[in-house]
Amino acid sequence: MAELLDNVKFLLSEVDPARLGACGAEVAFVGRSNVGKSSLLNALCRQDLARVSKTPGRTRTINVFLAGKDRWLVDLPGYGFALAPVAEQVGWKAMIEGYLTGRPSLRAIYLLVDAKVGPTKLDLEMVAWLESHRLPWRVVATKADQVKASRVDLRKREVAHAIGLQPEDLAWTSADKGYGVGCLRNEI
């Protein structure tokens, strides 16, 4: 699908996962607010598709991008701190869970974790939730350029072990500098 990522186009935004149509195969990007989901999606597709903001909580809908005939990339709202009303944030949780559990064509969930900050309590709760629902997930450490070069190997081990993984199980990326983006494109 790597070549399909060269011709990605915005398809739709939706707040009700039950209203999404059928799809042959899709992958989703999930993570806390401001972890870099939209930035990574833009880097993977080599174009500015998803709206990027420094303000947490700007992605408020299920944003679907068409990556080829019957193939979707899905950018989900973030969890955790957001500059939005609490009632709206509660709705995002239901929207995200409804999407993740209700899509038979979902092939992979990329759980984004900040490489410098490491997995937060909410990230670990998301891992446990994904495992409890037996969903296919993979951790992508974002903003890797913010980790000092002398600490990269140690930080990879710390992030991986905090989640119960091995360092080689992490995708280590920087949308800003391009680290790991090509490998992740090939995987997707």
Side-chain angles (χ1 to χ4, degrees):
M1 188 166 161
E3 65 277 355
L4 294 177
L5 296 182
D6 291 330
N7 297 305
V8 176
K9 294 181 178 24
F10 174 78
L11 183 61
L12 61 95
S13 289
E14 181 57 73
V15 295
D16 183 355
R19 290 196 303 242
L20 291 171
C23 175
E26 59 198 281
V27 298
F29 297 87
V30 67
R32 68 177 176 77
S33 295
N34 224 28
V35 74
K37 292 179 301 299
S38 298
S39 295
L40 182 61
L41 184 64
N42 289 341
L44 288 166
C45 298
R46 298 181 187 151
Q47 58 181 311
D48 291 333
L49 288 168
R51 183 173 175 214
V52 175
S53 174
K54 291 185 186 280
T55 306
R58 287 294 182 204
T59 302
R60 298 179 178 199
T61 58
I62 300 167
N63 295 311
V64 180
F65 300 89
L66 185 63
K69 187 177 182 334
D70 221 16
R71 301 289 186 260
W72 291 357
L73 301 175
V74 180
D75 186 16
L76 296 170
Y79 50 79
F81 177 77
L83 295 177
V86 173
E88 190 174 348
Q89 292 180 52
V90 170
W92 297 343
K93 182 177 187 244
M95 179 188 354
I96 293 167
E97 290 178 359
Y99 169 81
L100 293 174
T101 59
R103 301 297 298 171
S105 55
L106 187 58
R107 300 294 182 255
I109 300 161
Y110 290 95
L111 173 58
L112 278 56
V113 173
D114 188 308
K116 185 176 178 183
V117 173
T120 65
K121 178 181 178 214
L122 291 174
D123 293 323
L124 297 174
E125 288 173 4
M126 178 58 84
V127 167
W129 187 87
L130 291 168
E131 286 184 344
S132 74
H133 286 82
R134 295 191 170 122
L135 293 168
W137 59 277
R138 170 144 158 71
V139 174
V140 178
T142 61
K143 304 180 184 181
D145 57 298
Q146 295 179 11
V147 176
K148 291 182 182 178
S150 62
R151 292 195 28 88
V152 167
D153 289 337
L154 174 63
R155 193 67 191 137
K156 282 182 185 179
R157 285 193 304 274
E158 291 170 345
V159 170
H161 290 142
I163 301 169
L165 301 172
Q166 295 300 313
E168 58 272 11
D169 296 330
L170 291 177
W172 192 256
T173 66
S174 166
D176 188 45
K177 303 293 183 191
Y179 309 152
V181 172
C183 291
L184 191 57
R185 273 177 62 90
N186 290 335
E187 179 180 315
I188 292 170

